[in-house]
Amino acid sequence: MRILATLIVSAFVLLPGGCATDRAVSQTSAATLDFALIGDMPYDGRQEKEFDNLMKDIDAADVAFVVHDGDFWWDGAAWTEQAGGLPPCSDEAFTDRLARAQRSKHPFIYVAGDNEWTDCHRAKPRTYDPLERLGKLRQMFFQGDASLGQQPMKLVRQSGNSQYASYRENARWMAGGVVFLTLHIIGSNNNLGRTPQMDAEYEERNAANIAWMREGFDLASRNGSRAVMIIAQADPYFQNTWPTYMQERYALWAIGVKPPASRRKTGYDSFIAALEKETLAFGKPVVYVHGDTHIFRIDKPLVGRQSARIIENFTRVATFGHPDTHWVRATIDPGDPNVFRFRQETVKANLVAH
């Protein structure tokens, strides 16, 4: 299901500060703090050039850090030789994308997507073992306790807990009175439902993700943080959990389609349930940033299971993605009574002639 319209809302703003690891967060700074959100790029040869324009734009901006929310190259099955660019899942693609991230003048935090490993079993012109590619991804992109980029920022990784030693990609940092955390939640139904081996991988990673999210919320509560921002690749299709009246208004009525009588189980159900519980208990602004669907939007899609109404302190931000090569500026502003402000940043060099 695709969003057919964009609902732009003012989301809540937090108190800013410097980039830091887990520690008490200052609640007295009067300065704003900006950071960049990107994802689902670069895919083909054209967008590899546009990505250079985008990073030049971001490098020149006064931002504290950059977060790429996954899908650093084309979907394995969608790539064609005519599209150009590096073949998905190849060693060359891994090396190129790491080099691009490392050239960032700002700290560059990268979140794993499904294109990077889950979909590699169907990659062209050759296929790969997804778990082998996942191992390579972790080894190349998530080493040490710092971000990528020319000015690395210190991070806390879930792998610091021996129980979750494999999950180096799940990271956390604090800035401007906000707890930021990344989760390895991916498209392609979160790797659930393809093979028994992949289902086992999903179960283990899903448990690690939920544990890491709960730990982040606990930290935010103990520190008196003003908000939590979660960044992952997957659009978890919140609308799959909506009551019928909301689904009927979700553009389906316009084409005469009725919502299904029964809801299909997905690889996101337990995450959404845990997210609802933590968001309600936290009681302060929570933002979920993702890519996956390539449609820039800001809305409030999390609905309470009991109330059947939106959960007001939750906001979703979906970033631009292929074929569009632009970025989102997020601002933490102590002067705003809400939580975050978000502004689209259109890269002039990447404008399309209509």
Side-chain angles (χ1 to χ4, degrees), residues 77-189:
W79 180 83
T80 64
E81 190 171 351
Q82 290 73 25
L86 293 172
C89 305
S90 64
D91 287 351
E92 294 80 4
F94 273 82
T95 300
D96 177 82
R97 297 316 193 243
L98 178 59
R100 290 175 183 272
Q102 295 287 35
R103 286 197 293 268
S104 171
K105 292 185 178 180
H106 305 295
F108 192 102
I109 299 95
Y110 162 67
V111 180
D114 59 344
N115 289 7
E116 283 85 298
W117 67 276
T118 314
D119 298 336
C120 290
H121 68 283
R122 58 184 185 181
K124 299 174 183 177
R126 59 155 293 189
T127 61
Y128 298 83
D129 171 26
L131 293 182
E132 183 275 330
R133 293 288 88 177
L134 174 58
K136 184 177 184 68
L137 191 71
R138 286 170 168 160
Q139 187 273 326
M140 289 185 66
F141 286 83
F142 304 108
Q143 285 299 312
D145 62 351
S147 70
L148 305 172
Q150 294 181 24
Q151 301 182 59
M153 180 175 69
K154 191 170 176 61
L155 304 172
V156 175
R157 298 196 183 276
Q158 188 178 21
S159 56
N161 181 337
S162 59
Q163 183 179 352
Y164 302 105
S166 298
Y167 297 95
R168 302 195 53 77
E169 64 273 21
N170 283 346
R172 185 174 66 227
W173 67 99
M174 295 185 353
V178 183
V179 170
F180 292 84
L181 60 127
T182 67
L183 296 177
H184 193 172
I185 302 174
I186 51 176
S188 298
N189 199 32

Side-chain angles (χ1 to χ4, degrees), residues 6 41 55 78 110 125 184 226 281 285 296 298-299:
T6 300
M41 61 178 75
M55 289 307 301
Y110 162 67
H184 193 172
R226 295 200 173 188
F296 170 60
I298 304 171
D299 59 7

Side-chain angles (χ1 to χ4, degrees), residues 297-346:
R297 60 187 184 273
I298 304 171
D299 59 7
K300 291 189 174 293
L302 186 60
V303 175
R305 286 173 292 175
Q306 293 185 351
S307 68
R309 299 282 297 274
I310 64 167
I311 296 175
E312 287 86 352
N313 65 309
F314 180 87
T315 302
R316 179 257 297 278
V317 177
T319 53
F320 291 99
H322 181 270
D324 305 309
T325 319
H326 307 296
W327 59 287
V328 179
R329 181 190 297 267
T331 300
I332 300 172
D333 184 352
D336 194 308
N338 300 315
V339 177
F340 291 94
R341 289 188 283 108
F342 301 98
R343 188 177 80 191
Q344 61 180 359
E345 294 285 355
T346 303

Side-chain angles (χ1 to χ4, degrees), residues 22 47 130 185 351:
D22 289 4
Q47 200 177 39
I185 302 174
L351 288 174

Side-chain angles (χ1 to χ4, degrees), residues 38-277:
I38 61 175
D40 295 293
M41 61 178 75
Y43 275 21
D44 52 23
R46 171 193 60 79
Q47 200 177 39
E48 287 176 356
K49 296 177 182 178
E50 290 186 353
F51 190 79
D52 290 339
N53 297 333
L54 174 135
M55 289 307 301
K56 183 178 179 181
D57 204 50
I58 294 175
D59 284 346
D62 184 13
V63 296
F65 51 84
V66 183
V67 185
H68 188 299
D69 58 25
D71 280 10
F72 225 160
W73 53 70
W74 197 283
D75 174 87
W79 180 83
T80 64
E81 190 171 351
Q82 290 73 25
L86 293 172
C89 305
S90 64
D91 287 351
E92 294 80 4
F94 273 82
T95 300
D96 177 82
R97 297 316 193 243
L98 178 59
R100 290 175 183 272
Q102 295 287 35
R103 286 197 293 268
S104 171
K105 292 185 178 180
H106 305 295
F108 192 102
I109 299 95
Y110 162 67
V111 180
D114 59 344
N115 289 7
E116 283 85 298
W117 67 276
T118 314
D119 298 336
C120 290
H121 68 283
R122 58 184 185 181
K124 299 174 183 177
R126 59 155 293 189
T127 61
Y128 298 83
D129 171 26
L131 293 182
E132 183 275 330
R133 293 288 88 177
L134 174 58
K136 184 177 184 68
L137 191 71
R138 286 170 168 160
Q139 187 273 326
M140 289 185 66
F141 286 83
F142 304 108
Q143 285 299 312
D145 62 351
S147 70
L148 305 172
Q150 294 181 24
Q151 301 182 59
M153 180 175 69
K154 191 170 176 61
L155 304 172
V156 175
R157 298 196 183 276
Q158 188 178 21
S159 56
N161 181 337
S162 59
Q163 183 179 352
Y164 302 105
S166 298
Y167 297 95
R168 302 195 53 77
E169 64 273 21
N170 283 346
R172 185 174 66 227
W173 67 99
M174 295 185 353
V178 183
V179 170
F180 292 84
L181 60 127
T182 67
L183 296 177
H184 193 172
I185 302 174
I186 51 176
S188 298
N189 199 32
N190 212 5
N191 201 34
L192 177 65
R194 191 172 72 81
T195 69
Q197 184 184 33
M198 296 299 99
D199 289 353
E201 186 283 328
Y202 156 79
E203 294 290 349
E204 183 177 328
R205 177 171 44 81
N206 186 56
N209 282 328
I210 291 175
W212 187 238
M213 179 175 65
R214 288 172 174 161
E215 184 176 317
F217 273 102
D218 179 65
L219 174 69
S221 296
R222 288 187 286 107
N223 279 354
S225 301
R226 295 200 173 188
V228 171
M229 176 174 278
I230 301 166
I231 306 104
Q233 186 256 331
D235 178 349
Y237 291 93
F238 293 101
Q239 61 269 24
N240 195 46
T241 67
W242 288 354
T244 301
Y245 86 90
M246 288 188 65
Q247 291 191 358
E248 288 177 343
R249 293 179 177 180
Y250 186 66
L252 293 177
W253 59 269
I255 56 176
V257 176
K258 292 292 184 182
S262 60
R263 190 177 65 82
R264 181 176 65 89
K265 180 182 178 181
T266 77
Y268 311 110
D269 295 347
S270 56
F271 163 69
I272 292 177
L275 178 64
E276 177 188 349
K277 181 178 179 180

